[in-house]
Amino acid sequence: MTRSIDDAVDILRASRRVVVTTGAGMSKESGIPTFRDAPNALWANYNPEDLATRAGFRRDPALVWRWYAERRAMIAGAKPHEGHLALARWEQRFDAFTILTQNIDGLHVAAGSKDVVELHGNIFRYKCFDHDHPVAEPLAGAGEPPRCACGSWVRPAVVWFGESLDADHLCAAYDALERCNVLLIVGTSGVVYPAAGFAATAKANGALVIEINPEATPASEIADVFIAGGAKSILPVLATKTVDPIAGP
Ligand code: BV8
C-alpha cells in the first residue's frame, strides 16, 4: 500500500485541478452504515427499489417517511471524521477542488468543504412530492408524512432511483470532470449511475484516477492507482504528503 500512496502523492503533486467523488464508505467511519456492507447495511432489511423510489413512496408513504426519519436521526448525531477534514483543508491548495458526493448526510459541508455537489440531495431538506414546492422543516408530529401547503405530501429532497439528478448539479459535475487532472474516488461500490460512470468520463478526458476503498470495485479496473484502505486513515496521509502544488515540489 505504501507504493500506491507514494504513486498517488506523485500524481497529486503534479495536479492543479482535482475532483473527488465520494460514496457511503466515506461516511462509514462517522458511524453511518453503508448500503451494502452487512450486518447493519441500510438495505439489509429493505429493498431500495421499494423505498427510494416515487412508486415506493406512493405505495407506502408512512413507511418511506419513517425510514428517512430513522436515517436522519442517526445522521444528525454523526460528525465529519479526519478524512472529511483533510479534504476541506486540501481544497485551497489547488486551483480547483470539487467534491461530487452521492451522500445525503451533509458531512462534507459540515467539515468546511466549499465546492461540494450533493448529487443525490440532502436528507435534511424537504420538498413537495407532486410539485417540488420547497418545504421548510416540517413540525415534529405533523403526521406521517406531513402535507405541503398545496395538499400534496412532503418528501425528503433526495434523488430517488428513476429520478433525474438536478441539471445544474450534473452540469457542474461534468464540467469539473472535463477539466480535472485527477479524479479521486473514495468509498463507493460504483454501482449507481450516473456517479458510477465518473471514472470512465475522467479517463476519457485525460485525467488520472486514484481509488481509495478497502475492496476492489468496477472502477479499480481503470484506476491508475488503487489504495486498499479506509477514508479516515488514508486521506489525511495523502493530504499531509502532498506539498502545495502551487508553490511547486
Ligand atoms: C438517473 C439517495 C436518469 C436516496 C440514491 C445506467 C445503467 C444502469 C442503470 C442506470 C443507468 N442510469 C440510470 C440508471 C438507473 C439508476 C441506477 O444506477 N441503478 C443501479 C441500481 C443500476 N440510477 C438512477 O436512477 C439515477 N437517476 O440516472 O436518472 C435515468 C433514470 C432511469 C433510467 C435511466 C436514466 C438516480 C440514482 C440516485 C439514487 N439515490 N441515494 C437515499 O440515499 O435514500 S443511491 C444511494 O445508493 C447512494 O446515494 C449511492 O449512490 C448508492 C450506494 O452506493 P455507495 O455510496 O457506493 O454505497 P455502497 O454501500 O454501495 O458501497 C460502499 C463502499 O464503501 C463499498 O465499496 C465499501 O467497500 C466501501 N467502504 C467501506 N468502508 C469504507 C469504504 N470506503 C472507504 N473507507 C471506508 N472506511
Side-chain angles (χ1 to χ4, degrees), residues 23-25 28-29 34-37 43 68 71 102 104 120 159 161-164 187-189 191-193 213-214 230-231:
K28 185 174 177 184
E29 290 153 300
T34 64
F35 288 80
R36 289 175 176 79
D37 287 352
W43 291 345
Y68 280 94
R71 290 171 64 190
Q102 298 169 75
I104 61 176
H120 294 165
V159 180
F161 288 100
E163 292 187 314
S164 296
T188 179
S189 59
V191 170
V192 174
Y193 285 81
N213 195 314

PDB file of all heavy atoms in Angstrom, residues 23-25 28-29 34-37 43 68 71 102 104 120 159 161-164 187-189 191-193 213-214 230-231, ligand 1:
ATOM      1  N   GLY A  23     -18.737   8.134  -1.867  1.00  0.00           N
ATOM      2  CA  GLY A  23     -19.954   7.346  -1.614  1.00  0.00           C
ATOM      3  C   GLY A  23     -20.050   7.037  -0.134  1.00  0.00           C
ATOM      4  O   GLY A  23     -19.326   7.604   0.699  1.00  0.00           O
ATOM      5  N   ALA A  24     -20.949   6.108   0.180  1.00  0.00           N
ATOM      6  CA  ALA A  24     -21.293   5.832   1.586  1.00  0.00           C
ATOM      7  C   ALA A  24     -20.084   5.405   2.415  1.00  0.00           C
ATOM      8  O   ALA A  24     -20.037   5.623   3.632  1.00  0.00           O
ATOM      9  CB  ALA A  24     -22.376   4.758   1.637  1.00  0.00           C
ATOM     10  N   GLY A  25     -19.073   4.814   1.786  1.00  0.00           N
ATOM     11  CA  GLY A  25     -17.871   4.390   2.531  1.00  0.00           C
ATOM     12  C   GLY A  25     -17.151   5.568   3.144  1.00  0.00           C
ATOM     13  O   GLY A  25     -16.474   5.438   4.169  1.00  0.00           O
ATOM     14  N   LYS A  28     -18.782   6.006   6.538  1.00  0.00           N
ATOM     15  CA  LYS A  28     -18.914   4.835   7.431  1.00  0.00           C
ATOM     16  C   LYS A  28     -18.193   5.071   8.757  1.00  0.00           C
ATOM     17  O   LYS A  28     -18.706   4.752   9.831  1.00  0.00           O
ATOM     18  CB  LYS A  28     -18.355   3.580   6.745  1.00  0.00           C
ATOM     19  CG  LYS A  28     -18.568   2.314   7.564  1.00  0.00           C
ATOM     20  CD  LYS A  28     -18.145   1.089   6.794  1.00  0.00           C
ATOM     21  CE  LYS A  28     -18.289  -0.182   7.632  1.00  0.00           C
ATOM     22  NZ  LYS A  28     -17.771  -1.356   6.900  1.00  0.00           N
ATOM     23  N   GLU A  29     -17.012   5.688   8.701  1.00  0.00           N
ATOM     24  CA  GLU A  29     -16.239   5.882   9.937  1.00  0.00           C
ATOM     25  C   GLU A  29     -16.737   7.088  10.731  1.00  0.00           C
ATOM     26  O   GLU A  29     -16.165   7.446  11.751  1.00  0.00           O
ATOM     27  CB  GLU A  29     -14.744   6.006   9.606  1.00  0.00           C
ATOM     28  CG  GLU A  29     -14.149   4.685   9.124  1.00  0.00           C
ATOM     29  CD  GLU A  29     -12.955   4.874   8.201  1.00  0.00           C
ATOM     30  OE1 GLU A  29     -13.123   5.506   7.150  1.00  0.00           O
ATOM     31  OE2 GLU A  29     -11.867   4.372   8.541  1.00  0.00           O
ATOM     32  N   THR A  34     -23.198   1.843   5.557  1.00  0.00           N
ATOM     33  CA  THR A  34     -23.270   1.937   4.093  1.00  0.00           C
ATOM     34  C   THR A  34     -24.510   1.177   3.622  1.00  0.00           C
ATOM     35  O   THR A  34     -25.287   0.681   4.434  1.00  0.00           O
ATOM     36  CB  THR A  34     -22.010   1.296   3.462  1.00  0.00           C
ATOM     37  OG1 THR A  34     -22.044  -0.099   3.791  1.00  0.00           O
ATOM     38  CG2 THR A  34     -20.737   1.935   4.002  1.00  0.00           C
ATOM     39  N   PHE A  35     -24.680   1.122   2.314  1.00  0.00           N
ATOM     40  CA  PHE A  35     -25.881   0.491   1.773  1.00  0.00           C
ATOM     41  C   PHE A  35     -25.733  -1.007   1.648  1.00  0.00           C
ATOM     42  O   PHE A  35     -26.703  -1.742   1.674  1.00  0.00           O
ATOM     43  CB  PHE A  35     -26.194   1.107   0.398  1.00  0.00           C
ATOM     44  CG  PHE A  35     -26.697   2.500   0.511  1.00  0.00           C
ATOM     45  CD1 PHE A  35     -25.819   3.553   0.705  1.00  0.00           C
ATOM     46  CD2 PHE A  35     -28.057   2.767   0.500  1.00  0.00           C
ATOM     47  CE1 PHE A  35     -26.276   4.861   0.845  1.00  0.00           C
ATOM     48  CE2 PHE A  35     -28.528   4.075   0.634  1.00  0.00           C
ATOM     49  CZ  PHE A  35     -27.625   5.120   0.814  1.00  0.00           C
ATOM     50  N   ARG A  36     -24.484  -1.432   1.486  1.00  0.00           N
ATOM     51  CA  ARG A  36     -24.291  -2.864   1.165  1.00  0.00           C
ATOM     52  C   ARG A  36     -23.475  -3.616   2.204  1.00  0.00           C
ATOM     53  O   ARG A  36     -23.479  -4.818   2.236  1.00  0.00           O
ATOM     54  CB  ARG A  36     -23.613  -2.979  -0.212  1.00  0.00           C
ATOM     55  CG  ARG A  36     -24.552  -2.604  -1.330  1.00  0.00           C
ATOM     56  CD  ARG A  36     -23.867  -2.597  -2.670  1.00  0.00           C
ATOM     57  NE  ARG A  36     -24.832  -2.318  -3.722  1.00  0.00           N
ATOM     58  CZ  ARG A  36     -25.261  -1.095  -3.993  1.00  0.00           C
ATOM     59  NH1 ARG A  36     -24.804  -0.081  -3.322  1.00  0.00           N
ATOM     60  NH2 ARG A  36     -26.162  -0.883  -4.937  1.00  0.00           N
ATOM     61  N   ASP A  37     -22.707  -2.909   3.028  1.00  0.00           N
ATOM     62  CA  ASP A  37     -21.851  -3.633   3.983  1.00  0.00           C
ATOM     63  C   ASP A  37     -22.711  -4.212   5.096  1.00  0.00           C
ATOM     64  O   ASP A  37     -23.275  -3.474   5.880  1.00  0.00           O
ATOM     65  CB  ASP A  37     -20.835  -2.669   4.622  1.00  0.00           C
ATOM     66  CG  ASP A  37     -19.755  -2.274   3.633  1.00  0.00           C
ATOM     67  OD1 ASP A  37     -19.733  -2.866   2.538  1.00  0.00           O
ATOM     68  OD2 ASP A  37     -18.975  -1.370   3.961  1.00  0.00           O
ATOM     69  N   TRP A  43     -29.670  -1.389   3.496  1.00  0.00           N
ATOM     70  CA  TRP A  43     -30.586  -2.139   2.644  1.00  0.00           C
ATOM     71  C   TRP A  43     -30.715  -3.586   3.080  1.00  0.00           C
ATOM     72  O   TRP A  43     -31.324  -4.395   2.396  1.00  0.00           O
ATOM     73  CB  TRP A  43     -30.147  -2.055   1.178  1.00  0.00           C
ATOM     74  CG  TRP A  43     -30.314  -0.675   0.613  1.00  0.00           C
ATOM     75  CD1 TRP A  43     -31.033   0.339   1.158  1.00  0.00           C
ATOM     76  CD2 TRP A  43     -29.745  -0.157  -0.576  1.00  0.00           C
ATOM     77  NE1 TRP A  43     -30.932   1.467   0.373  1.00  0.00           N
ATOM     78  CE2 TRP A  43     -30.162   1.179  -0.702  1.00  0.00           C
ATOM     79  CE3 TRP A  43     -28.928  -0.691  -1.557  1.00  0.00           C
ATOM     80  CZ2 TRP A  43     -29.772   1.989  -1.771  1.00  0.00           C
ATOM     81  CZ3 TRP A  43     -28.554   0.115  -2.623  1.00  0.00           C
ATOM     82  CH2 TRP A  43     -28.974   1.432  -2.714  1.00  0.00           C
ATOM     83  N   TYR A  68     -36.732   7.361   6.318  1.00  0.00           N
ATOM     84  CA  TYR A  68     -35.850   8.534   6.248  1.00  0.00           C
ATOM     85  C   TYR A  68     -35.719   9.215   7.608  1.00  0.00           C
ATOM     86  O   TYR A  68     -34.642   9.713   7.961  1.00  0.00           O
ATOM     87  CB  TYR A  68     -36.348   9.505   5.171  1.00  0.00           C
ATOM     88  CG  TYR A  68     -35.931   9.056   3.789  1.00  0.00           C
ATOM     89  CD1 TYR A  68     -36.765   8.280   2.994  1.00  0.00           C
ATOM     90  CD2 TYR A  68     -34.659   9.345   3.298  1.00  0.00           C
ATOM     91  CE1 TYR A  68     -36.363   7.812   1.751  1.00  0.00           C
ATOM     92  CE2 TYR A  68     -34.243   8.893   2.057  1.00  0.00           C
ATOM     93  CZ  TYR A  68     -35.088   8.120   1.291  1.00  0.00           C
ATOM     94  OH  TYR A  68     -34.675   7.651   0.065  1.00  0.00           O
ATOM     95  N   ARG A  71     -33.089   7.325   9.507  1.00  0.00           N
ATOM     96  CA  ARG A  71     -31.745   7.626   8.980  1.00  0.00           C
ATOM     97  C   ARG A  71     -31.328   9.036   9.377  1.00  0.00           C
ATOM     98  O   ARG A  71     -30.187   9.294   9.754  1.00  0.00           O
ATOM     99  CB  ARG A  71     -31.729   7.446   7.460  1.00  0.00           C
ATOM    100  CG  ARG A  71     -31.844   5.997   7.024  1.00  0.00           C
ATOM    101  CD  ARG A  71     -32.035   5.885   5.528  1.00  0.00           C
ATOM    102  NE  ARG A  71     -30.879   6.391   4.790  1.00  0.00           N
ATOM    103  CZ  ARG A  71     -30.889   6.581   3.454  1.00  0.00           C
ATOM    104  NH1 ARG A  71     -31.998   6.321   2.750  1.00  0.00           N
ATOM    105  NH2 ARG A  71     -29.827   7.021   2.826  1.00  0.00           N
ATOM    106  N   GLN A 102     -22.235  11.337  -3.464  1.00  0.00           N
ATOM    107  CA  GLN A 102     -23.509  10.634  -3.558  1.00  0.00           C
ATOM    108  C   GLN A 102     -24.204  10.646  -2.185  1.00  0.00           C
ATOM    109  O   GLN A 102     -25.353  10.234  -2.071  1.00  0.00           O
ATOM    110  CB  GLN A 102     -23.297   9.176  -3.979  1.00  0.00           C
ATOM    111  CG  GLN A 102     -22.651   9.004  -5.346  1.00  0.00           C
ATOM    112  CD  GLN A 102     -22.232   7.571  -5.589  1.00  0.00           C
ATOM    113  OE1 GLN A 102     -23.066   6.698  -5.856  1.00  0.00           O
ATOM    114  NE2 GLN A 102     -20.940   7.296  -5.502  1.00  0.00           N
ATOM    115  N   ILE A 104     -25.992  11.862   1.256  1.00  0.00           N
ATOM    116  CA  ILE A 104     -27.045  12.866   1.556  1.00  0.00           C
ATOM    117  C   ILE A 104     -26.933  13.360   2.996  1.00  0.00           C
ATOM    118  O   ILE A 104     -27.843  13.983   3.515  1.00  0.00           O
ATOM    119  CB  ILE A 104     -28.442  12.238   1.306  1.00  0.00           C
ATOM    120  CG1 ILE A 104     -28.689  11.016   2.206  1.00  0.00           C
ATOM    121  CG2 ILE A 104     -28.618  11.885  -0.167  1.00  0.00           C
ATOM    122  CD1 ILE A 104     -30.105  10.428   2.059  1.00  0.00           C
ATOM    123  N   HIS A 120     -27.088  13.554  -4.926  1.00  0.00           N
ATOM    124  CA  HIS A 120     -28.335  12.852  -4.592  1.00  0.00           C
ATOM    125  C   HIS A 120     -29.141  13.596  -3.535  1.00  0.00           C
ATOM    126  O   HIS A 120     -30.013  13.011  -2.892  1.00  0.00           O
ATOM    127  CB  HIS A 120     -28.025  11.415  -4.128  1.00  0.00           C
ATOM    128  CG  HIS A 120     -27.439  10.581  -5.236  1.00  0.00           C
ATOM    129  ND1 HIS A 120     -26.809   9.377  -5.003  1.00  0.00           N
ATOM    130  CD2 HIS A 120     -27.365  10.793  -6.577  1.00  0.00           C
ATOM    131  CE1 HIS A 120     -26.385   8.881  -6.181  1.00  0.00           C
ATOM    132  NE2 HIS A 120     -26.706   9.732  -7.137  1.00  0.00           N
ATOM    133  N   VAL A 159     -32.597  12.405  -4.285  1.00  0.00           N
ATOM    134  CA  VAL A 159     -32.868  11.872  -5.627  1.00  0.00           C
ATOM    135  C   VAL A 159     -33.149  10.380  -5.503  1.00  0.00           C
ATOM    136  O   VAL A 159     -32.275   9.639  -5.042  1.00  0.00           O
ATOM    137  CB  VAL A 159     -31.675  12.105  -6.569  1.00  0.00           C
ATOM    138  CG1 VAL A 159     -31.994  11.542  -7.966  1.00  0.00           C
ATOM    139  CG2 VAL A 159     -31.342  13.595  -6.669  1.00  0.00           C
ATOM    140  N   PHE A 161     -34.237   6.496  -7.071  1.00  0.00           N
ATOM    141  CA  PHE A 161     -33.976   5.725  -8.298  1.00  0.00           C
ATOM    142  C   PHE A 161     -35.071   6.037  -9.316  1.00  0.00           C
ATOM    143  O   PHE A 161     -36.244   6.141  -8.980  1.00  0.00           O
ATOM    144  CB  PHE A 161     -33.957   4.232  -7.983  1.00  0.00           C
ATOM    145  CG  PHE A 161     -32.749   3.803  -7.213  1.00  0.00           C
ATOM    146  CD1 PHE A 161     -32.815   3.605  -5.846  1.00  0.00           C
ATOM    147  CD2 PHE A 161     -31.522   3.665  -7.855  1.00  0.00           C
ATOM    148  CE1 PHE A 161     -31.688   3.243  -5.122  1.00  0.00           C
ATOM    149  CE2 PHE A 161     -30.388   3.304  -7.142  1.00  0.00           C
ATOM    150  CZ  PHE A 161     -30.474   3.097  -5.771  1.00  0.00           C
ATOM    151  N   GLY A 162     -34.643   6.237 -10.556  1.00  0.00           N
ATOM    152  CA  GLY A 162     -35.610   6.553 -11.615  1.00  0.00           C
ATOM    153  C   GLY A 162     -35.843   8.040 -11.751  1.00  0.00           C
ATOM    154  O   GLY A 162     -36.472   8.489 -12.698  1.00  0.00           O
ATOM    155  N   GLU A 163     -35.328   8.842 -10.783  1.00  0.00           N
ATOM    156  CA  GLU A 163     -35.443  10.307 -10.893  1.00  0.00           C
ATOM    157  C   GLU A 163     -34.139  10.868 -11.463  1.00  0.00           C
ATOM    158  O   GLU A 163     -33.054  10.364 -11.143  1.00  0.00           O
ATOM    159  CB  GLU A 163     -35.704  10.931  -9.508  1.00  0.00           C
ATOM    160  CG  GLU A 163     -37.078  10.572  -8.928  1.00  0.00           C
ATOM    161  CD  GLU A 163     -37.373  11.336  -7.647  1.00  0.00           C
ATOM    162  OE1 GLU A 163     -36.475  11.396  -6.765  1.00  0.00           O
ATOM    163  OE2 GLU A 163     -38.482  11.864  -7.523  1.00  0.00           O
ATOM    164  N   SER A 164     -34.275  11.895 -12.269  1.00  0.00           N
ATOM    165  CA  SER A 164     -33.056  12.528 -12.816  1.00  0.00           C
ATOM    166  C   SER A 164     -32.398  13.380 -11.756  1.00  0.00           C
ATOM    167  O   SER A 164     -33.077  13.936 -10.891  1.00  0.00           O
ATOM    168  CB  SER A 164     -33.434  13.404 -14.014  1.00  0.00           C
ATOM    169  OG  SER A 164     -33.942  12.567 -15.024  1.00  0.00           O
ATOM    170  N   GLY A 187     -14.681   5.459  -1.398  1.00  0.00           N
ATOM    171  CA  GLY A 187     -15.773   4.830  -0.654  1.00  0.00           C
ATOM    172  C   GLY A 187     -17.061   4.644  -1.408  1.00  0.00           C
ATOM    173  O   GLY A 187     -18.138   4.886  -0.863  1.00  0.00           O
ATOM    174  N   THR A 188     -16.953   4.200  -2.669  1.00  0.00           N
ATOM    175  CA  THR A 188     -18.174   3.887  -3.397  1.00  0.00           C
ATOM    176  C   THR A 188     -18.032   2.559  -4.128  1.00  0.00           C
ATOM    177  O   THR A 188     -16.985   2.259  -4.674  1.00  0.00           O
ATOM    178  CB  THR A 188     -18.546   5.012  -4.394  1.00  0.00           C
ATOM    179  OG1 THR A 188     -19.742   4.649  -5.093  1.00  0.00           O
ATOM    180  CG2 THR A 188     -17.448   5.288  -5.395  1.00  0.00           C
ATOM    181  N   SER A 189     -19.127   1.790  -4.133  1.00  0.00           N
ATOM    182  CA  SER A 189     -19.093   0.471  -4.788  1.00  0.00           C
ATOM    183  C   SER A 189     -19.236   0.613  -6.296  1.00  0.00           C
ATOM    184  O   SER A 189     -19.113  -0.359  -7.032  1.00  0.00           O
ATOM    185  CB  SER A 189     -20.230  -0.406  -4.246  1.00  0.00           C
ATOM    186  OG  SER A 189     -21.475   0.240  -4.488  1.00  0.00           O
ATOM    187  N   VAL A 191     -21.824   1.306  -8.324  1.00  0.00           N
ATOM    188  CA  VAL A 191     -22.953   0.563  -8.913  1.00  0.00           C
ATOM    189  C   VAL A 191     -24.020   1.505  -9.461  1.00  0.00           C
ATOM    190  O   VAL A 191     -24.649   1.233 -10.464  1.00  0.00           O
ATOM    191  CB  VAL A 191     -23.594  -0.361  -7.835  1.00  0.00           C
ATOM    192  CG1 VAL A 191     -24.896  -0.959  -8.317  1.00  0.00           C
ATOM    193  CG2 VAL A 191     -22.621  -1.460  -7.433  1.00  0.00           C
ATOM    194  N   VAL A 192     -24.184   2.651  -8.771  1.00  0.00           N
ATOM    195  CA  VAL A 192     -25.293   3.548  -9.103  1.00  0.00           C
ATOM    196  C   VAL A 192     -24.834   4.631 -10.077  1.00  0.00           C
ATOM    197  O   VAL A 192     -23.850   5.346  -9.822  1.00  0.00           O
ATOM    198  CB  VAL A 192     -25.860   4.168  -7.814  1.00  0.00           C
ATOM    199  CG1 VAL A 192     -26.908   5.218  -8.133  1.00  0.00           C
ATOM    200  CG2 VAL A 192     -26.487   3.064  -6.947  1.00  0.00           C
ATOM    201  N   TYR A 193     -25.589   4.738 -11.170  1.00  0.00           N
ATOM    202  CA  TYR A 193     -25.291   5.756 -12.195  1.00  0.00           C
ATOM    203  C   TYR A 193     -26.092   7.011 -11.901  1.00  0.00           C
ATOM    204  O   TYR A 193     -27.127   6.949 -11.226  1.00  0.00           O
ATOM    205  CB  TYR A 193     -25.650   5.179 -13.569  1.00  0.00           C
ATOM    206  CG  TYR A 193     -24.621   4.166 -14.018  1.00  0.00           C
ATOM    207  CD1 TYR A 193     -24.670   2.857 -13.546  1.00  0.00           C
ATOM    208  CD2 TYR A 193     -23.576   4.538 -14.855  1.00  0.00           C
ATOM    209  CE1 TYR A 193     -23.705   1.924 -13.921  1.00  0.00           C
ATOM    210  CE2 TYR A 193     -22.614   3.619 -15.240  1.00  0.00           C
ATOM    211  CZ  TYR A 193     -22.673   2.321 -14.751  1.00  0.00           C
ATOM    212  OH  TYR A 193     -21.704   1.415 -15.120  1.00  0.00           O
ATOM    213  N   ASN A 213     -10.436   2.493  -1.288  1.00  0.00           N
ATOM    214  CA  ASN A 213     -11.521   1.614  -0.881  1.00  0.00           C
ATOM    215  C   ASN A 213     -10.877   0.373  -0.260  1.00  0.00           C
ATOM    216  O   ASN A 213      -9.871  -0.104  -0.782  1.00  0.00           O
ATOM    217  CB  ASN A 213     -12.353   1.221  -2.124  1.00  0.00           C
ATOM    218  CG  ASN A 213     -13.697   0.626  -1.763  1.00  0.00           C
ATOM    219  OD1 ASN A 213     -13.800  -0.225  -0.891  1.00  0.00           O
ATOM    220  ND2 ASN A 213     -14.751   1.094  -2.436  1.00  0.00           N
ATOM    221  N   PRO A 214     -11.470  -0.167   0.820  1.00  0.00           N
ATOM    222  CA  PRO A 214     -10.878  -1.407   1.359  1.00  0.00           C
ATOM    223  C   PRO A 214     -10.977  -2.570   0.374  1.00  0.00           C
ATOM    224  O   PRO A 214     -10.207  -3.512   0.427  1.00  0.00           O
ATOM    225  CB  PRO A 214     -11.729  -1.694   2.606  1.00  0.00           C
ATOM    226  CG  PRO A 214     -12.409  -0.427   2.929  1.00  0.00           C
ATOM    227  CD  PRO A 214     -12.572   0.319   1.651  1.00  0.00           C
ATOM    228  N   GLY A 230      -9.119   2.625   4.317  1.00  0.00           N
ATOM    229  CA  GLY A 230     -10.302   3.413   4.684  1.00  0.00           C
ATOM    230  C   GLY A 230     -10.071   4.910   4.505  1.00  0.00           C
ATOM    231  O   GLY A 230      -8.935   5.399   4.619  1.00  0.00           O
ATOM    232  N   ALA A 231     -11.164   5.615   4.274  1.00  0.00           N
ATOM    233  CA  ALA A 231     -11.077   7.069   4.019  1.00  0.00           C
ATOM    234  C   ALA A 231     -10.480   7.811   5.207  1.00  0.00           C
ATOM    235  O   ALA A 231      -9.666   8.733   5.038  1.00  0.00           O
ATOM    236  CB  ALA A 231     -12.478   7.598   3.723  1.00  0.00           C
TER     237      ALA A 231
HETATM  238  C1  BV8 B   1     -30.797   8.792 -13.193  1.00  0.00           C
HETATM  239  C2  BV8 B   1     -30.347   8.940  -2.421  1.00  0.00           C
HETATM  240  C3  BV8 B   1     -31.881   9.287 -15.266  1.00  0.00           C
HETATM  241  C4  BV8 B   1     -31.537   8.330  -1.723  1.00  0.00           C
HETATM  242  C5  BV8 B   1     -29.512   7.268  -4.018  1.00  0.00           C
HETATM  243  C6  BV8 B   1     -27.202   3.248 -16.365  1.00  0.00           C
HETATM  244  C7  BV8 B   1     -27.049   1.880 -16.241  1.00  0.00           C
HETATM  245  C8  BV8 B   1     -27.838   1.157 -15.348  1.00  0.00           C
HETATM  246  C9  BV8 B   1     -28.797   1.804 -14.550  1.00  0.00           C
HETATM  247  C10 BV8 B   1     -28.938   3.149 -14.682  1.00  0.00           C
HETATM  248  C11 BV8 B   1     -28.162   3.882 -15.574  1.00  0.00           C
HETATM  249  N1  BV8 B   1     -28.523   5.181 -15.468  1.00  0.00           N
HETATM  250  C12 BV8 B   1     -29.510   5.298 -14.544  1.00  0.00           C
HETATM  251  C13 BV8 B   1     -29.797   4.068 -14.056  1.00  0.00           C
HETATM  252  C14 BV8 B   1     -30.800   3.755 -13.057  1.00  0.00           C
HETATM  253  C15 BV8 B   1     -30.282   4.004 -11.640  1.00  0.00           C
HETATM  254  C16 BV8 B   1     -29.126   3.096 -11.283  1.00  0.00           C
HETATM  255  O1  BV8 B   1     -27.965   3.480 -11.380  1.00  0.00           O
HETATM  256  N2  BV8 B   1     -29.457   1.914 -10.839  1.00  0.00           N
HETATM  257  C17 BV8 B   1     -28.441   0.969 -10.373  1.00  0.00           C
HETATM  258  C18 BV8 B   1     -29.007   0.189  -9.189  1.00  0.00           C
HETATM  259  C19 BV8 B   1     -28.029   0.064 -11.508  1.00  0.00           C
HETATM  260  N3  BV8 B   1     -29.881   5.393 -11.472  1.00  0.00           N
HETATM  261  C20 BV8 B   1     -30.809   6.328 -11.230  1.00  0.00           C
HETATM  262  O2  BV8 B   1     -31.994   6.085 -11.175  1.00  0.00           O
HETATM  263  C21 BV8 B   1     -30.320   7.765 -11.045  1.00  0.00           C
HETATM  264  N4  BV8 B   1     -31.102   8.622 -11.902  1.00  0.00           N
HETATM  265  O3  BV8 B   1     -29.808   8.376 -13.716  1.00  0.00           O
HETATM  266  O4  BV8 B   1     -31.803   9.476 -13.879  1.00  0.00           O
HETATM  267  C22 BV8 B   1     -32.326   7.854 -15.556  1.00  0.00           C
HETATM  268  C23 BV8 B   1     -33.337   7.250 -14.789  1.00  0.00           C
HETATM  269  C24 BV8 B   1     -33.732   5.925 -15.082  1.00  0.00           C
HETATM  270  C25 BV8 B   1     -33.114   5.207 -16.096  1.00  0.00           C
HETATM  271  C26 BV8 B   1     -32.078   5.801 -16.837  1.00  0.00           C
HETATM  272  C27 BV8 B   1     -31.683   7.131 -16.562  1.00  0.00           C
HETATM  273  C28 BV8 B   1     -30.534   8.222  -9.610  1.00  0.00           C
HETATM  274  C29 BV8 B   1     -29.717   7.403  -8.672  1.00  0.00           C
HETATM  275  C30 BV8 B   1     -29.762   8.026  -7.266  1.00  0.00           C
HETATM  276  C31 BV8 B   1     -30.469   7.090  -6.298  1.00  0.00           C
HETATM  277  N5  BV8 B   1     -30.386   7.650  -4.934  1.00  0.00           N
HETATM  278  N6  BV8 B   1     -29.419   7.876  -2.821  1.00  0.00           N
HETATM  279  C32 BV8 B   1     -31.163   7.624  -0.444  1.00  0.00           C
HETATM  280  O5  BV8 B   1     -29.986   7.632  -0.050  1.00  0.00           O
HETATM  281  O6  BV8 B   1     -32.090   7.079   0.174  1.00  0.00           O
HETATM  282  S1  BV8 B   1     -28.482   5.988  -4.378  1.00  0.00           S
HETATM  283  C33 BV8 B   1     -27.605   5.544  -2.984  1.00  0.00           C
HETATM  284  O7  BV8 B   1     -27.091   4.253  -3.251  1.00  0.00           O
HETATM  285  C34 BV8 B   1     -26.374   6.364  -2.689  1.00  0.00           C
HETATM  286  O8  BV8 B   1     -26.584   7.718  -2.895  1.00  0.00           O
HETATM  287  C35 BV8 B   1     -25.331   5.776  -3.595  1.00  0.00           C
HETATM  288  O9  BV8 B   1     -25.405   6.344  -4.873  1.00  0.00           O
HETATM  289  C36 BV8 B   1     -25.768   4.333  -3.675  1.00  0.00           C
HETATM  290  C37 BV8 B   1     -24.974   3.456  -2.721  1.00  0.00           C
HETATM  291  O10 BV8 B   1     -23.721   3.327  -3.258  1.00  0.00           O
HETATM  292  P1  BV8 B   1     -22.409   3.691  -2.409  1.00  0.00           P
HETATM  293  O11 BV8 B   1     -22.482   5.079  -1.932  1.00  0.00           O
HETATM  294  O12 BV8 B   1     -21.274   3.298  -3.242  1.00  0.00           O
HETATM  295  O13 BV8 B   1     -22.517   2.760  -1.113  1.00  0.00           O
HETATM  296  P2  BV8 B   1     -22.306   1.174  -1.028  1.00  0.00           P
HETATM  297  O14 BV8 B   1     -22.816   0.756   0.298  1.00  0.00           O
HETATM  298  O15 BV8 B   1     -22.833   0.527  -2.271  1.00  0.00           O
HETATM  299  O16 BV8 B   1     -20.709   0.975  -1.071  1.00  0.00           O
HETATM  300  C38 BV8 B   1     -19.913   1.458  -0.016  1.00  0.00           C
HETATM  301  C39 BV8 B   1     -18.477   1.335  -0.461  1.00  0.00           C
HETATM  302  O17 BV8 B   1     -17.638   1.864   0.560  1.00  0.00           O
HETATM  303  C40 BV8 B   1     -18.036  -0.108  -0.701  1.00  0.00           C
HETATM  304  O18 BV8 B   1     -17.293  -0.193  -1.900  1.00  0.00           O
HETATM  305  C41 BV8 B   1     -17.115  -0.396   0.515  1.00  0.00           C
HETATM  306  O19 BV8 B   1     -16.067  -1.301   0.170  1.00  0.00           O
HETATM  307  C42 BV8 B   1     -16.559   0.980   0.773  1.00  0.00           C
HETATM  308  N7  BV8 B   1     -16.107   1.219   2.148  1.00  0.00           N
HETATM  309  C43 BV8 B   1     -16.495   0.576   3.287  1.00  0.00           C
HETATM  310  N8  BV8 B   1     -15.841   1.129   4.331  1.00  0.00           N
HETATM  311  C44 BV8 B   1     -15.040   2.127   3.848  1.00  0.00           C
HETATM  312  C45 BV8 B   1     -15.210   2.189   2.454  1.00  0.00           C
HETATM  313  N9  BV8 B   1     -14.555   3.075   1.680  1.00  0.00           N
HETATM  314  C46 BV8 B   1     -13.706   3.927   2.288  1.00  0.00           C
HETATM  315  N10 BV8 B   1     -13.486   3.935   3.629  1.00  0.00           N
HETATM  316  C47 BV8 B   1     -14.128   3.044   4.429  1.00  0.00           C
HETATM  317  N11 BV8 B   1     -13.887   3.046   5.762  1.00  0.00           N
END
